[in-house]
Amino acid sequence: MKEFDTFTVWLLMNLVMLQSSLSSGDSSVVNPCCHYPCQNAGVCVRFGPDGYKCDCTRTGFYGENCTNPEFWTRVRLMLKPDPALVHYILTHFQWFWDLVNNSFLQDTVMRLVLTVRSDLIPSPPTYNTKYGYLSWESYYNLSYYTRLLPPVPEDCPLPMGTKGKPVLPDVKTLTEKFFRRQKFRPDPQGTNLMFAFMAQHFTHQFFKTNHKVQQGFTKALGHGVDAGHIYGDNLERQHQLRLHKDGHLKYQLVDGEMYPPTVAEVPVHMVYPKGFPMEQRLAIGQEVYGILPGLTMYATIWLREHNRVCDVLKAEHPTWDDEQLFQTSRLIIIGEIINIIIQEYVQHLSGYLLKLKFDPSLLFGVRFQYSNRIALEFCQLYHWHPLMPDSFHIDGEEIPYSQFFYNTSILTHYGVEKLVDAFSRQPAGQIGGGHNSHEVVLKVAEMVIRESRGARMQPFNEYRKRFKLKPYTSFYEFTDDVEMARALEELYGDIDALEFYPGMILEKTRPNSIFGESMVEIGAPFSLKGLLGNPICSPEYWKPSTFGGDAGFSIVKTSTLKKLVCLNTRWCPYVDFHVPRNEEEREPRKPSTEL
């Protein structure tokens, strides 16, 4: 028996060694593209088991890995300032920017900002989650988010390529350890909840991830600013929401004021909890906007604005039918949205002293494509839930999350004016730096990280390189929180294995800024390309006749957040994306219609 056991062990050992020797030729070969060898936007193409070639076409670089700059590239790199220096210049020297903002130089600088940012986003789109190479499917199939970098190859030895640990950190551990709020940290730029709710209301017209499919799919039919969150994302929903008279949308009157109709009146699909009172179920273009009063508030404002614009157009064009009034008003609303987002929302977010300007004609003389596809990377980075406070302060009352979620009665109880005033005065949280997400939104961060893993997104550093930023060399360079750096290093093993979303949110913030360098340098190109790539910004559309004449065109070009609110309310509250800056703004606003 003893001899048999010895023989058996000897035989098994030899069989294992034989199997190992037979398969060693395959197991030792690593897909070379897993090393991300191609730099400067070069494309890695695999040849044979262990061969590859970098396609450096039109990158401005050459060589085996696209690392050698061509002559003019070398000159440009020598003259190009560091992103941190550019940001410093744009946020300092008030006297200089006052001069620029009041001269022809504003157009020149604004055109430069738009082209430099937008050129970083490829058009037509490139990859999707299914195909890590260019394909017709990636271009044509709108049910996918597009993506700038292809997925991590499926045959890589490690989850993030060839660096890091064999198993990615537990998602709950990540969010609890690095995302969970320890103490509310207000944004040093003065961002308020009016901004926070605009961010959510605005972006969810094109961020509609299909969470049932973990492969980067979107439920949105449009890939940009189409106002689908106001009018519905399909024709059937749009027709249900319309009054079919004078171009108007349906509404209900509460104490003589216009609000979205109820689902009983307009039977569109809306997401409400089971047992939620039917009379409080509001029918809105976006099916999830009943979740937060800040979203129903914006839905109400835009509903009123649409119907107001219809009345302006009807006075100008008494012969127009319902359809033309509706369609032209929608174009005006889209123009207003883009104008407010660029000139106030992005202006505030950037902290720039350069006065941003929405003028599509600035790009008419340069190469620019008027189309847009929403990228998975853009959807991922825009989860800014650290903005949310610990509770909500409205008209002297403190409202916890338990009474805030799915409570549409807050809107009709306080009215639009008091909500706008309250949200404009309450500080929002700082997005970057970690440790600032309220516990109720931690599940969202978990979901985002899981989705990024399902889509096999490349490491954070690879995206920094794609946007011409220097990759971080260590976690201690990535964050100025030594304890966080040490813990991240223990979990990930290598800075080149850090995932995209944790990298965007946990990165050290710029001085006195809402978030870090990567969020600005990666997020801004997506934003500006999506806004200026809208059809209404094209030479064919950007003219008075598109908007019903000079009156409609003027509504677009002169729109502001304050006008949007105060032309649609009984009295004008304090309204801004910034908390009150001075004593006058801090004083409670008395009923007034002054603009």
Side-chain angles (χ1 to χ4, degrees):
M1 185 71 175
K2 192 172 182 179
E3 290 180 358
F4 177 77
D5 287 345
T6 303
F7 173 77
T8 303
V9 171
W10 175 85
L11 180 62
L12 288 172
M13 288 180 64
N14 277 274
L15 286 172
V16 169
M17 291 176 65
L18 177 62
Q19 175 66 28
S20 177
S21 65
L22 289 172
S23 62
S24 61
D26 295 328
S27 63
S28 63
V29 175
V30 174
N31 181 346
C33 293
C34 292
H35 293 280
Y36 312 117
C38 306
Q39 305 300 303
N40 301 301
V43 179
C44 184
V45 181
R46 188 178 186 181
F47 288 91
D50 57 359
Y52 75 95
K53 184 175 181 180
C54 291
D55 186 349
C56 309
T57 305
R58 287 184 292 278
T59 63
F61 292 82
Y62 65 95
E64 183 180 3
N65 293 328
C66 308
T67 54
N68 301 323
E70 296 170 357
F71 174 75
W72 288 113
T73 302
R74 192 182 301 276
V75 172
R76 190 180 72 251
L77 291 174
M78 289 175 60
L79 298 175
K80 182 185 176 183
D82 181 84
L85 176 60
V86 173
H87 182 79
Y88 182 84
I89 293 172
L90 285 165
T91 54
H92 292 77
F93 311 110
Q94 181 75 61
W95 63 270
F96 173 75
W97 292 112
D98 285 343
L99 177 65
V100 171
N101 293 332
N102 291 286
S103 70
F104 70 93
L105 292 172
Q106 184 193 23
D107 286 357
T108 303
V109 178
M110 190 66 201
R111 184 182 297 108
L112 182 64
V113 168
L114 293 174
T115 53
V116 168
R117 296 290 198 193
S118 298
D119 283 349
L120 291 169
I121 306 301
S123 186
T126 47
Y127 309 101
N128 65 19
T129 303
K130 184 174 183 179
Y131 299 100
Y133 47 87
L134 293 188
S135 66
W136 183 253
E137 179 78 2
S138 296
Y139 165 77
Y140 183 75
N141 192 340
L142 299 180
S143 60
Y144 280 100
Y145 287 118
T146 187
R147 51 198 298 176
L148 261 68
L149 292 182
V152 175
E154 291 182 321
D155 56 353
C156 291
L158 297 172
M160 302 306 285
T162 58
K163 294 184 179 180
K165 296 194 173 182
V167 178
L168 289 171
D170 176 70
V171 174
K172 282 189 176 293
T173 300
L174 277 176
T175 56
E176 288 289 336
K177 197 174 185 66
F178 305 111
F179 287 70
R180 178 183 280 274
R181 177 171 292 157
Q182 298 171 343
K183 180 182 178 182
F184 177 72
R185 191 171 68 248
D187 169 40
Q189 286 183 215
T191 301
N192 58 24
L193 295 189
M194 195 66 181
F195 176 95
F197 287 124
M198 174 61 94
Q200 193 170 9
H201 188 270
F202 165 69
T203 60
H204 278 62
Q205 64 187 300
F206 44 78
F207 292 156
K208 298 188 72 175
T209 303
N210 187 342
H211 298 296
K212 295 179 180 179
V213 186
Q214 296 289 315
Q215 295 294 328
F217 281 90
T218 174
K219 294 183 290 184
L221 300 181
H223 276 257
V225 182
D226 60 1
H229 58 328
I230 300 171
Y231 305 108
D233 62 1
N234 60 74
L235 192 59
E236 181 183 0
R237 190 178 183 94
Q238 178 204 116
H239 280 290
Q240 287 179 303
L241 291 167
R242 286 173 59 179
L243 187 62
H244 297 290
K245 181 181 178 182
D246 297 333
H248 285 190
L249 292 170
K250 290 179 181 175
Y251 59 91
Q252 63 169 316
L253 292 177
V254 179
D255 296 329
E257 293 194 276
M258 188 184 296
Y259 289 94
T262 64
V263 172
E265 298 170 291
V266 181
V268 295
H269 170 66
M270 291 293 297
V271 178
Y272 287 104
K274 188 177 181 180
F276 192 79
M278 292 300 296
E279 66 275 11
Q280 294 181 21
R281 298 189 181 202
L282 301 181
I284 301 169
Q286 224 282 12
E287 62 269 20
V288 302
Y289 279 4
I291 188 173
L292 294 171
L295 301 180
T296 54
M297 174 198 72
Y298 269 116
T300 301
I301 294 170
W302 283 114
L303 164 66
R304 295 177 182 181
E305 177 65 1
H306 172 87
N307 287 351
R308 186 190 76 83
V309 169
C310 285
D311 292 340
V312 172
L313 289 179
K314 184 174 175 60
E316 289 272 316
H317 308 281
T319 62
W320 280 13
D321 61 10
D322 168 73
E323 190 68 20
Q324 189 165 5
L325 288 169
F326 171 81
Q327 297 295 348
T328 305
S329 294
R330 180 171 185 166
L331 291 177
I332 290 173
I333 295 299
I334 290 172
E336 287 190 76
I337 292 171
I338 296 174
N339 193 22
I340 291 170
I341 291 297
I342 289 179
Q343 296 196 165
E344 297 185 73
Y345 179 97
V346 176
Q347 180 77 64
H348 167 76
L349 202 60
S350 69
Y352 292 168
L353 297 178
L354 167 68
K355 188 176 180 180
L356 301 184
K357 183 179 182 181
F358 174 48
D359 182 359
S361 65
L362 293 175
L363 296 176
F364 289 174
V366 301
R367 181 179 64 86
F368 193 80
Q369 291 179 300
Y370 294 95
S371 62
N372 188 61
R373 281 282 294 280
I374 297 300
L376 178 64
E377 294 93 345
F378 191 34
C379 180
Q380 286 262 317
L381 69 83
Y382 224 118
H383 285 83
W384 292 350
H385 291 80
L387 287 168
M388 289 292 100
D390 290 335
S391 60
F392 302 87
H393 303 276
I394 304 172
D395 199 28
E397 299 182 67
E398 183 175 1
I399 303 175
Y401 280 91
S402 59
Q403 297 173 28
F404 198 72
F405 281 141
Y406 290 112
N407 189 351
T408 58
S409 66
I410 286 178
L411 172 65
T412 51
H413 174 72
Y414 292 103
V416 171
E417 295 89 349
K418 286 185 178 180
L419 288 190
V420 168
D421 194 81
F423 295 151
S424 295
R425 295 178 186 278
Q426 185 171 354
Q430 186 178 33
I431 296 172
H435 301 310
N436 206 23
S437 292
H438 192 279
E439 61 181 357
V440 301
V441 297
L442 286 180
K443 288 185 178 179
V444 180
E446 293 175 19
M447 175 196 69
V448 175
I449 295 170
R450 287 194 179 98
E451 286 179 347
S452 71
R453 292 178 181 181
R456 306 195 320 279
M457 290 183 66
Q458 289 192 23
F460 174 64
N461 258 345
E462 292 304 312
Y463 281 99
R464 281 185 60 86
K465 289 189 285 186
R466 175 60 178 77
F467 283 87
K468 305 184 187 306
L469 301 171
K470 292 181 180 178
Y472 287 113
T473 57
S474 72
F475 286 104
Y476 298 92
E477 183 187 11
F478 165 75
T479 174
D480 48 18
D481 183 331
V482 176
E483 185 179 336
M484 180 186 289
R486 187 180 300 116
L488 285 170
E489 187 172 47
E490 182 180 341
L491 288 172
Y492 281 101
D494 194 302
I495 185 65
D496 286 331
L498 178 63
E499 296 172 272
F500 179 73
Y501 184 65
M504 298 298 292
I505 296 295
L506 303 180
E507 181 185 32
K508 61 186 176 187
T509 61
R510 280 171 163 164
N512 301 312
S513 292
I514 190 168
F515 36 49
E517 176 185 66
S518 299
M519 189 73 81
V520 176
E521 302 301 325
I522 296 176
F526 284 118
S527 179
L528 292 176
K529 175 62 174 70
L531 292 167
L532 272 300
N534 194 283
I536 72 161
C537 299
S538 67
E540 286 299 315
Y541 279 62
W542 189 250
K543 48 192 172 185
S545 57
T546 301
F547 307 98
D550 290 334
F553 206 20
S554 177
I555 292 174
V556 172
K557 293 192 289 186
T558 63
S559 56
T560 66
L561 179 67
K562 187 173 183 179
K563 277 188 175 182
L564 174 66
V565 170
C566 296
L567 288 173
N568 295 289
T569 49
R570 288 177 173 174
W571 54 276
C572 191
Y574 170 68
V575 52
D576 204 303
F577 289 139
H578 196 288
V579 294
R581 299 170 178 81
N582 52 54
E583 199 63 37
E584 183 182 352
E585 291 178 338
R586 293 189 191 99
E587 288 295 317
R589 188 62 58 92
K590 296 179 181 179
S592 169
T593 57
E594 182 183 351
L595 294 183

Coordinates of all heavy atoms in Angstrom, one line a residue, residues 416-476:
V416 N -42.3 77.5 -5.4 CA -41.0 77.6 -6.1 C -40.1 78.6 -5.5 O -38.9 78.4 -5.4 CB -41.3 77.8 -7.6 CG1 -40.0 78.1 -8.4 CG2 -42.0 76.6 -8.3
E417 N -40.7 79.8 -5.2 CA -39.9 80.9 -4.7 C -39.1 80.5 -3.5 O -37.9 80.8 -3.4 CB -40.8 82.1 -4.4 CG -41.5 82.7 -5.7 CD -42.8 82.0 -5.9 OE1 -43.1 81.0 -5.3 OE2 -43.6 82.6 -6.8
K418 N -39.7 79.9 -2.5 CA -39.1 79.6 -1.3 C -38.0 78.5 -1.5 O -37.0 78.5 -0.8 CB -40.1 79.2 -0.2 CG -40.8 80.4 0.4 CD -41.8 80.0 1.5 CE -42.5 81.2 2.1 NZ -43.4 80.9 3.2
L419 N -38.3 77.6 -2.3 CA -37.3 76.5 -2.6 C -36.1 77.1 -3.3 O -35.0 76.7 -2.9 CB -37.9 75.4 -3.5 CG -39.0 74.5 -2.8 CD1 -39.3 73.3 -3.8 CD2 -38.5 74.0 -1.5
V420 N -36.3 77.9 -4.3 CA -35.2 78.5 -5.0 C -34.3 79.3 -4.0 O -33.1 79.2 -4.0 CB -35.6 79.4 -6.1 CG1 -34.5 80.3 -6.7 CG2 -36.2 78.6 -7.3
D421 N -35.0 80.1 -3.2 CA -34.3 81.0 -2.2 C -33.5 80.1 -1.2 O -32.3 80.4 -0.9 CB -35.3 81.8 -1.4 CG -34.6 83.0 -0.7 OD1 -34.3 84.0 -1.3 OD2 -34.3 82.8 0.5
A422 N -34.1 79.0 -0.7 CA -33.4 78.2 0.2 C -32.3 77.4 -0.4 O -31.2 77.4 0.2 CB -34.5 77.2 0.8
F423 N -32.5 76.8 -1.6 CA -31.4 76.1 -2.2 C -30.2 77.0 -2.6 O -29.1 76.5 -2.7 CB -31.9 75.3 -3.4 CG -32.9 74.2 -3.0 CD1 -33.9 73.9 -3.9 CD2 -32.9 73.6 -1.8 CE1 -34.9 72.9 -3.6 CE2 -33.8 72.6 -1.4 CZ -34.8 72.3 -2.3
S424 N -30.5 78.2 -3.0 CA -29.5 79.2 -3.4 C -28.6 79.6 -2.2 O -27.5 80.0 -2.4 CB -30.1 80.4 -4.1 OG -30.7 80.1 -5.3
R425 N -29.2 79.5 -1.0 CA -28.5 79.9 0.2 C -27.7 78.8 0.9 O -26.8 79.1 1.6 CB -29.4 80.6 1.2 CG -30.1 81.9 0.7 CD -31.1 82.4 1.7 NE -31.8 83.6 1.1 CZ -31.3 84.8 1.0 NH1 -30.1 85.1 1.6 NH2 -32.0 85.8 0.5
Q426 N -28.1 77.6 0.7 CA -27.5 76.5 1.4 C -26.3 75.9 0.7 O -26.4 75.6 -0.5 CB -28.5 75.3 1.7 CG -27.9 74.2 2.5 CD -29.0 73.2 3.0 OE1 -30.2 73.3 2.7 NE2 -28.5 72.1 3.6
P427 N -25.1 75.9 1.4 CA -23.9 75.4 0.8 C -24.0 73.9 0.4 O -24.6 73.1 1.1 CB -22.8 75.6 1.8 CG -23.4 76.6 2.8 CD -24.9 76.3 2.8
A428 N -23.3 73.6 -0.8 CA -23.2 72.2 -1.2 C -21.8 71.7 -0.7 O -20.9 72.5 -0.4 CB -23.3 72.1 -2.7
G429 N -21.6 70.4 -0.8 CA -20.3 69.9 -0.4 C -19.3 69.9 -1.4 O -19.5 70.0 -2.6
Q430 N -18.0 69.8 -1.0 CA -16.9 69.8 -1.9 C -16.8 68.4 -2.5 O -17.0 67.4 -1.8 CB -15.6 70.0 -1.1 CG -14.3 70.1 -2.0 CD -13.1 70.4 -1.2 OE1 -12.9 70.0 -0.1 NE2 -12.1 71.2 -1.8
I431 N -16.7 68.3 -3.8 CA -16.8 67.0 -4.5 C -15.5 66.2 -4.4 O -15.5 65.0 -4.1 CB -17.1 67.3 -6.0 CG1 -18.4 67.9 -6.2 CG2 -17.0 66.0 -6.8 CD1 -18.7 68.4 -7.6
G432 N -14.3 66.8 -4.5 CA -13.1 66.1 -4.5 C -12.5 65.9 -3.2 O -12.9 66.5 -2.2
G433 N -11.5 65.0 -3.1 CA -10.7 64.8 -1.8 C -11.2 63.7 -1.0 O -10.5 63.3 0.0
G434 N -12.4 63.1 -1.3 CA -12.8 62.0 -0.5 C -13.5 62.4 0.8 O -13.5 63.5 1.2
H435 N -14.0 61.4 1.5 CA -14.6 61.5 2.9 C -15.7 62.6 2.9 O -15.8 63.3 3.9 CB -13.5 61.9 3.9 CG -12.4 60.9 4.0 ND1 -12.6 59.5 4.2 CD2 -11.0 61.0 3.9 CE1 -11.5 58.9 4.3 NE2 -10.5 59.8 4.1
N436 N -16.5 62.7 1.9 CA -17.5 63.8 1.9 C -18.9 63.3 1.3 O -19.6 64.2 0.8 CB -17.0 65.1 1.2 CG -17.7 66.3 1.8 OD1 -18.3 66.3 2.9 ND2 -17.7 67.4 1.0
S437 N -19.1 62.0 1.2 CA -20.4 61.5 0.6 C -21.3 61.1 1.8 O -20.9 60.3 2.6 CB -20.1 60.4 -0.3 OG -19.5 60.8 -1.5
H438 N -22.5 61.7 1.8 CA -23.5 61.3 2.9 C -23.8 59.8 2.7 O -23.8 59.3 1.6 CB -24.7 62.1 2.7 CG -25.7 62.0 3.9 ND1 -26.5 60.9 4.0 CD2 -25.9 62.8 5.0 CE1 -27.2 61.1 5.1 NE2 -26.8 62.2 5.7
E439 N -24.1 59.2 3.8 CA -24.3 57.7 3.8 C -25.4 57.3 2.9 O -25.4 56.2 2.4 CB -24.6 57.2 5.3 CG -25.8 57.8 5.9 CD -26.0 57.3 7.3 OE1 -25.2 56.5 7.8 OE2 -27.0 57.8 8.0
V440 N -26.4 58.2 2.7 CA -27.6 57.7 1.8 C -27.2 57.6 0.4 O -27.9 57.0 -0.4 CB -28.7 58.7 2.0 CG1 -29.2 58.8 3.4 CG2 -28.4 60.1 1.4
V441 N -26.1 58.2 0.0 CA -25.7 58.1 -1.5 C -24.5 57.2 -1.7 O -24.0 57.1 -2.8 CB -25.3 59.6 -2.0 CG1 -26.6 60.4 -2.0 CG2 -24.2 60.2 -1.3
L442 N -24.0 56.5 -0.7 CA -22.9 55.6 -0.8 C -23.2 54.5 -1.8 O -22.3 54.0 -2.5 CB -22.4 55.1 0.5 CG -21.7 56.0 1.5 CD1 -21.3 55.3 2.8 CD2 -20.4 56.6 0.8
K443 N -24.5 54.1 -1.8 CA -24.8 53.0 -2.7 C -24.6 53.4 -4.2 O -24.4 52.5 -5.0 CB -26.3 52.6 -2.5 CG -26.5 51.8 -1.2 CD -27.9 51.3 -1.0 CE -28.1 50.5 0.3 NZ -29.5 50.0 0.4
V444 N -24.8 54.7 -4.5 CA -24.6 55.1 -5.8 C -23.1 55.0 -6.2 O -22.8 54.5 -7.3 CB -25.0 56.6 -6.0 CG1 -24.8 57.1 -7.4 CG2 -26.5 56.8 -5.6
A445 N -22.2 55.4 -5.3 CA -20.8 55.2 -5.6 C -20.4 53.7 -5.8 O -19.6 53.4 -6.7 CB -20.0 55.8 -4.4
E446 N -21.0 52.9 -5.0 CA -20.8 51.4 -5.1 C -21.2 51.0 -6.5 O -20.5 50.2 -7.2 CB -21.6 50.6 -4.1 CG -21.1 50.9 -2.7 CD -21.9 50.1 -1.6 OE1 -22.7 49.2 -2.0 OE2 -21.9 50.5 -0.5
M447 N -22.4 51.4 -6.9 CA -23.0 51.1 -8.2 C -22.0 51.5 -9.4 O -21.8 50.8 -10.3 CB -24.3 51.7 -8.4 CG -25.0 51.5 -9.8 SD -26.4 52.6 -10.1 CE -25.5 54.2 -10.2
V448 N -21.5 52.7 -9.3 CA -20.7 53.3 -10.3 C -19.4 52.4 -10.4 O -19.0 52.1 -11.6 CB -20.3 54.8 -10.0 CG1 -19.3 55.3 -11.0 CG2 -21.5 55.6 -10.0
I449 N -18.8 52.1 -9.3 CA -17.6 51.3 -9.3 C -17.8 49.9 -9.9 O -17.0 49.4 -10.7 CB -16.9 51.2 -7.9 CG1 -16.5 52.6 -7.5 CG2 -15.7 50.3 -7.9 CD1 -16.1 52.7 -6.0
R450 N -18.9 49.3 -9.6 CA -19.3 48.0 -10.1 C -19.5 48.1 -11.6 O -19.1 47.2 -12.4 CB -20.5 47.4 -9.4 CG -20.3 47.0 -8.0 CD -21.4 46.1 -7.5 NE -21.2 45.7 -6.1 CZ -21.7 46.3 -5.0 NH1 -22.4 47.3 -5.2 NH2 -21.4 45.8 -3.8
E451 N -20.2 49.1 -12.1 CA -20.4 49.3 -13.5 C -19.1 49.5 -14.2 O -18.9 49.0 -15.4 CB -21.4 50.4 -13.7 CG -22.8 50.1 -13.4 CD -23.7 51.3 -13.6 OE1 -23.2 52.4 -13.8 OE2 -25.0 51.1 -13.5
S452 N -18.2 50.2 -13.7 CA -16.9 50.4 -14.3 C -16.1 49.1 -14.5 O -15.4 48.9 -15.5 CB -16.1 51.5 -13.6 OG -15.6 51.0 -12.4
R453 N -16.2 48.3 -13.5 CA -15.6 47.0 -13.5 C -16.2 46.1 -14.6 O -15.6 45.4 -15.3 CB -15.6 46.3 -12.1 CG -14.7 47.1 -11.1 CD -14.8 46.4 -9.8 NE -13.9 47.2 -8.8 CZ -13.8 46.9 -7.5 NH1 -14.4 45.8 -7.0 NH2 -13.0 47.6 -6.8
G454 N -17.6 46.1 -14.6 CA -18.3 45.3 -15.6 C -17.9 45.8 -17.0 O -17.8 45.0 -18.0
A455 N -17.6 47.1 -17.2 CA -17.2 47.6 -18.5 C -15.7 47.6 -18.7 O -15.2 48.0 -19.8 CB -17.7 49.1 -18.6
R456 N -15.0 47.1 -17.8 CA -13.5 46.9 -17.9 C -12.8 48.2 -18.3 O -12.0 48.3 -19.2 CB -13.1 45.8 -18.8 CG -13.8 44.5 -18.5 CD -13.2 43.3 -19.3 NE -12.8 43.5 -20.6 CZ -13.6 43.5 -21.6 NH1 -14.9 43.3 -21.5 NH2 -13.2 43.7 -22.9
M457 N -13.1 49.3 -17.5 CA -12.5 50.6 -17.8 C -11.0 50.5 -17.5 O -10.6 49.9 -16.5 CB -13.2 51.7 -17.0 CG -14.6 52.0 -17.6 SD -15.4 53.3 -16.7 CE -14.3 54.7 -17.2
Q458 N -10.2 51.2 -18.3 CA -8.8 51.3 -18.0 C -8.5 52.1 -16.8 O -9.3 52.8 -16.3 CB -8.1 51.9 -19.3 CG -8.1 51.0 -20.5 CD -7.1 51.5 -21.6 OE1 -6.2 52.2 -21.3 NE2 -7.4 51.0 -22.8
P459 N -7.2 51.9 -16.3 CA -6.9 52.6 -15.0 C -6.9 54.1 -15.2 O -6.8 54.7 -16.3 CB -5.4 52.1 -14.8 CG -5.3 50.9 -15.6 CD -6.2 51.0 -16.8
F460 N -7.0 54.8 -14.0 CA -7.1 56.2 -13.9 C -5.9 56.9 -14.6 O -6.1 57.9 -15.4 CB -7.1 56.6 -12.4 CG -7.1 58.1 -12.1 CD1 -8.1 58.9 -12.5 CD2 -6.0 58.6 -11.4 CE1 -8.0 60.3 -12.2 CE2 -6.0 59.9 -11.1 CZ -7.0 60.8 -11.5
N461 N -4.7 56.4 -14.4 CA -3.5 57.0 -15.0 C -3.6 57.0 -16.5 O -3.0 57.9 -17.2 CB -2.3 56.3 -14.5 CG -1.6 57.2 -13.4 OD1 -1.8 58.4 -13.3 ND2 -0.6 56.6 -12.7
E462 N -4.2 56.0 -17.1 CA -4.3 55.9 -18.6 C -5.1 57.0 -19.1 O -4.9 57.5 -20.2 CB -4.8 54.5 -19.0 CG -3.9 53.4 -18.7 CD -2.5 53.6 -19.4 OE1 -2.4 53.9 -20.6 OE2 -1.5 53.4 -18.6
Y463 N -6.1 57.4 -18.4 CA -7.0 58.5 -18.8 C -6.3 59.8 -18.6 O -6.5 60.8 -19.4 CB -8.3 58.5 -18.0 CG -9.3 57.5 -18.6 CD1 -9.4 56.2 -18.0 CD2 -10.0 57.8 -19.7 CE1 -10.3 55.3 -18.5 CE2 -10.9 56.8 -20.2 CZ -11.0 55.6 -19.7 OH -11.8 54.6 -20.2
R464 N -5.5 59.9 -17.6 CA -4.7 61.2 -17.4 C -3.7 61.3 -18.6 O -3.6 62.4 -19.2 CB -3.9 61.1 -16.1 CG -4.7 61.5 -14.9 CD -3.9 61.6 -13.6 NE -2.8 62.6 -13.7 CZ -3.0 63.9 -13.4 NH1 -4.2 64.3 -13.1 NH2 -2.0 64.7 -13.5
K465 N -3.1 60.3 -19.1 CA -2.3 60.4 -20.2 C -3.1 60.7 -21.5 O -2.6 61.5 -22.3 CB -1.5 59.0 -20.4 CG -0.4 58.8 -19.4 CD 0.5 57.6 -19.7 CE -0.2 56.3 -19.4 NZ 0.7 55.2 -19.6
R466 N -4.3 60.1 -21.6 CA -5.1 60.4 -22.8 C -5.5 61.9 -22.9 O -5.6 62.4 -24.0 CB -6.4 59.5 -22.7 CG -7.4 59.8 -23.8 CD -6.8 59.5 -25.2 NE -7.8 59.7 -26.3 CZ -8.2 60.9 -26.7 NH1 -7.7 62.0 -26.2 NH2 -9.1 61.0 -27.7
F467 N -5.6 62.5 -21.8 CA -5.9 64.0 -21.7 C -4.7 64.8 -21.5 O -4.8 66.0 -21.0 CB -7.0 64.2 -20.7 CG -8.4 63.8 -21.1 CD1 -8.8 62.5 -21.0 CD2 -9.2 64.7 -21.8 CE1 -10.1 62.1 -21.4 CE2 -10.5 64.3 -22.2 CZ -10.9 63.0 -22.0
K468 N -3.5 64.3 -21.8 CA -2.3 65.0 -21.8 C -1.9 65.5 -20.5 O -1.3 66.6 -20.3 CB -2.3 66.2 -22.9 CG -2.7 65.7 -24.3 CD -2.7 66.8 -25.3 CE -3.2 66.4 -26.6 NZ -2.5 65.2 -27.2
L469 N -2.2 64.7 -19.4 CA -1.8 65.0 -18.1 C -0.7 64.0 -17.7 O -0.7 62.9 -18.1 CB -3.0 64.9 -17.1 CG -4.2 65.8 -17.4 CD1 -5.3 65.5 -16.5 CD2 -3.8 67.3 -17.2
K470 N 0.2 64.5 -16.8 CA 1.2 63.5 -16.3 C 0.6 62.5 -15.4 O -0.1 62.8 -14.5 CB 2.3 64.3 -15.6 CG 3.1 65.3 -16.5 CD 4.2 66.0 -15.7 CE 5.0 66.9 -16.5 NZ 6.0 67.7 -15.7
P471 N 0.9 61.2 -15.7 CA 0.4 60.2 -14.8 C 1.1 60.3 -13.4 O 2.2 60.7 -13.3 CB 0.8 58.9 -15.4 CG 2.0 59.3 -16.3 CD 1.8 60.7 -16.7
Y472 N 0.3 60.0 -12.4 CA 0.8 60.0 -11.0 C 1.8 58.9 -10.8 O 1.6 57.8 -11.4 CB -0.3 59.9 -10.0 CG -1.1 61.2 -9.8 CD1 -2.4 61.2 -10.2 CD2 -0.5 62.3 -9.3 CE1 -3.2 62.4 -10.1 CE2 -1.3 63.5 -9.2 CZ -2.6 63.5 -9.6 OH -3.4 64.6 -9.4
T473 N 2.9 59.1 -10.1 CA 3.9 58.1 -9.9 C 3.7 57.4 -8.6 O 4.3 56.3 -8.3 CB 5.3 58.7 -9.9 OG1 5.4 59.8 -8.8 CG2 5.6 59.4 -11.2
S474 N 2.9 57.9 -7.7 CA 2.6 57.2 -6.4 C 1.3 57.7 -5.8 O 0.8 58.8 -6.2 CB 3.7 57.4 -5.4 OG 3.7 58.8 -4.9
F475 N 0.8 57.0 -4.9 CA -0.5 57.4 -4.2 C -0.2 58.6 -3.3 O -1.1 59.4 -3.1 CB -1.0 56.3 -3.3 CG -1.7 55.2 -4.1 CD1 -1.0 54.0 -4.3 CD2 -2.9 55.4 -4.7 CE1 -1.6 53.0 -5.1 CE2 -3.5 54.4 -5.4 CZ -2.9 53.2 -5.6
Y476 N 1.1 58.8 -2.9 CA 1.4 60.0 -2.1 C 1.5 61.2 -2.9 O 1.4 62.3 -2.4 CB 2.8 59.7 -1.4 CG 2.7 58.5 -0.5 CD1 3.0 57.2 -0.9 CD2 2.2 58.6 0.8 CE1 2.9 56.1 -0.1 CE2 2.1 57.5 1.7 CZ 2.5 56.3 1.2 OH 2.4 55.2 2.1

